[in-house]
Amino acid sequence: MGQQWVEPSRAVVIPNGFDGTRFRPRPDAKAGLRKELGVDPARSVIEMVARGHLMKDPGNLVRAVALLQARGHPVHLVIVGSGLDESNLDLVKLVRECGLGAQVSLLGARTDVPALVAGFDVAVLSSAWGEGFPNVLGEAMASGVPCVATDVGDCSWVIGPHGVIVPPRHSEALANALGRLLDLGPDARQQLGLAARARILQHFSLQEVVAQYETLHLRVSAAHGPRRSRRDEEIPEVRHGRAV
């Protein structure tokens, strides 16, 4: 069979939706995270939540954080996700080679991601390829955390004007973007995070996405009208007790 194309006028894109009550700003999250990990309160915490796959390119982020540290930014990197812990020998080796040592926490899989994410200063997605619609960005933004992401998949659509997009596989560009957000200072960064949350609640909330599905369903139903099942077609209409 040859390629089959969908008429663009008949296509509708409905994004994923996010729970703004589960992912939300939490005033005590930053202090709690720093206490758990033993991080100096003076350090800014950069995070990535991802799965342990090459496409996520965690090495790109590690090298970017090493550049930040070399430029005098006091930062701590936290990476969360299955396969991204001390058992990942290649990642552990890179952290050591970059001279980061105690400035990186590889937490692996966690069940308390909403509480963790709200405690970060900046969220990152450093993917090299293969992204579709990355939920981790929407979750961080809903938590009031500004984001930096590579220009892969729908990252730029999700972030919009309330974060920074950089080329993939470009550690220096990633470091520059992170440096820009860190240089804003806590107050301005918080305002950027709240603007990011407002974008998620306006365009990507669960309620908004459900409404889009309902609108599509009603539109399709109106266009095609009620359809009779095969069973309906086999049952004759009855009027006044007689089959007609």
Side-chain angles (χ1 to χ4, degrees):
M1 295 179 63
Q3 290 180 319
Q4 296 183 355
W5 301 96
V6 175
E7 172 61 38
S9 64
R10 296 171 60 86
V12 175
V13 176
I14 297 179
N16 294 343
F18 301 95
D19 185 345
T21 59
R22 183 166 181 247
F23 289 94
R24 65 183 190 278
R26 301 169 188 254
D28 300 329
K30 292 184 186 298
L33 177 68
R34 284 157 175 75
K35 182 178 180 181
E36 176 189 342
L37 301 180
V39 176
D40 185 339
R43 288 186 174 273
S44 299
V45 178
I46 297 169
E47 66 87 16
M48 182 169 75
V49 177
R51 57 190 173 91
H53 191 284
L54 289 176
M55 65 167 280
K56 301 298 182 179
D57 202 4
N60 181 26
L61 178 55
V62 170
R63 287 185 286 271
V65 169
L67 288 172
L68 281 177
Q69 182 133 302
R71 296 170 185 174
H73 286 282
V75 295
H76 188 94
L77 173 61
V78 179
I79 299 181
V80 182
S82 177
L84 297 173
D85 53 24
E86 298 297 330
S87 67
N88 190 321
L89 299 183
D90 289 338
L91 188 56
V92 169
K93 179 182 178 183
L94 179 61
V95 169
R96 184 171 60 249
E97 289 175 348
C98 288
L100 293 175
Q103 273 64 63
V104 176
S105 298
L106 303 177
L107 301 187
R110 295 282 294 244
T111 59
D112 58 343
V113 171
L116 280 176
V117 170
F120 300 127
D121 292 297
V122 180
V124 180
L125 187 61
S126 60
S127 297
W129 77 89
E131 287 294 345
F133 187 99
N135 286 343
V136 294
L137 292 180
E139 291 167 355
M141 292 169 69
S143 302
V145 180
C147 296
V148 177
T150 49
D151 193 6
V152 179
D154 288 331
C155 291
S156 61
W157 178 31
V158 178
I159 288 179
H162 305 302
V164 185
I165 295 292
V166 299
R169 297 189 178 97
H170 199 313
S171 299
E172 185 170 357
L174 183 54
N176 291 341
L178 290 169
R180 283 168 53 192
L181 292 188
L182 296 177
D183 287 341
L184 290 176
D187 293 339
R189 201 162 49 242
Q190 182 183 38
Q191 292 305 308
L192 181 61
L194 292 177
R197 174 174 167 80
R199 174 174 173 78
I200 293 298
L201 296 182
Q202 180 179 359
H203 299 289
F204 304 108
S205 69
L206 285 178
Q207 296 87 341
E208 169 62 23
V209 170
V210 168
Q212 290 184 44
Y213 275 107
E214 290 176 342
T215 299
L216 177 62
H217 175 74
L218 293 173
R219 195 178 86 188
V220 172
S221 297
H224 294 279
R227 301 183 63 180
R228 300 178 67 183
S229 69
R230 182 180 297 273
R231 177 178 172 82
D232 292 333
E233 294 171 356
E234 293 172 350
I235 299 175
E237 183 181 357
V238 177
R239 295 179 183 170
H240 306 297
R242 293 191 304 153
V244 295

